[in-house]
Amino acid sequence: VLFVCELPVAPDEKRFAAGFLERKSSLSALASDDLERLVSLADSSASRQRVNERFAAQAELWLIRCQGIIAAFGWTIKGKTIEPHFLPLTSRDVHLFDFFVFPEFRGRGLNPSLVSQILQAVSRENLSRAFIEAAAWNNPQLSSLAKTPFHRIGAARKFQLGKSLVVIWSQREQA
């Protein structure tokens, strides 16, 4: 399910849950214990490689801390996407992707807070639109996005056919 948000967005402080937002633009800006927390979610070597690739592609990592540790995070990249996407992006677009709230911090509204705070930050950077997507089966993420300035634009499936990306838009609620 794909969503768009026209930028800039008006401030909405009531959406922001308790937590401290940080923006990291390089691996060197990330403390080693923070990197360890991020890569602990899956195979450590593959996760480290993915983090390195994202920073090399100029993606930015956004963190919310609670009690001094990373409670939630998400990534953004301007003008492009990390993987083939449903829509082409322009240089004034930003793509939000791969959001995660650690289990011990779930149920506190951190994800919509993180998304909304990121939208506030990128609103000050002369960008025109933000895009995000969620799997149709991911009800917690869909519910979370309903609490942000994003608006649903459609549902689609994508797959590679040789070197071509094929996108099939759906009329149904879920793709």
Side-chain angles (χ1 to χ4, degrees), residues 28-41:
S28 63
L30 194 59
S32 60
D33 56 335
D34 289 341
L35 177 60
E36 291 306 315
R37 181 150 171 86
L38 294 176
V39 301
S40 70
L41 299 170

Side-chain angles (χ1 to χ4, degrees), residues 33-82:
D33 56 335
D34 289 341
L35 177 60
E36 291 306 315
R37 181 150 171 86
L38 294 176
V39 301
S40 70
L41 299 170
D43 173 33
S44 180
S45 61
S47 293
R48 284 179 198 279
Q49 181 64 26
R50 191 168 32 257
V51 168
N52 284 328
E53 289 170 355
R54 289 174 177 182
F55 281 129
Q58 299 179 322
E60 295 183 298
L61 176 64
W62 300 79
L63 311 170
I64 284 190
R65 292 185 185 277
C66 292
Q67 303 160 356
I69 62 171
I70 299 172
F73 67 89
W75 291 87
T76 61
I77 191 163
K78 295 175 190 167
K80 58 186 175 181
T81 58
I82 290 292

Side-chain angles (χ1 to χ4, degrees), residues 4-10 16 21-23 25 58-62 74-79 91-97 99 113-132 149-150:
V4 67
C5 177
E6 299 295 327
L7 299 174
V9 295
F16 298 167
L21 182 68
E22 296 178 26
R23 182 181 199 171
S25 298
Q58 299 179 322
E60 295 183 298
L61 176 64
W62 300 79
W75 291 87
T76 61
I77 191 163
K78 295 175 190 167
S91 62
R92 293 193 57 220
D93 294 332
V94 63
H95 182 229
L96 286 70
F97 63 100
F99 281 70
S113 175
L114 177 57
V115 169
S116 295
Q117 289 183 63
I118 290 170
L119 290 173
Q120 285 295 304
V122 299
S123 283
R124 297 185 289 272
E125 297 175 12
N126 197 33
L127 297 170
S128 58
R129 296 176 301 186
F131 292 93
I132 196 168
F150 275 102

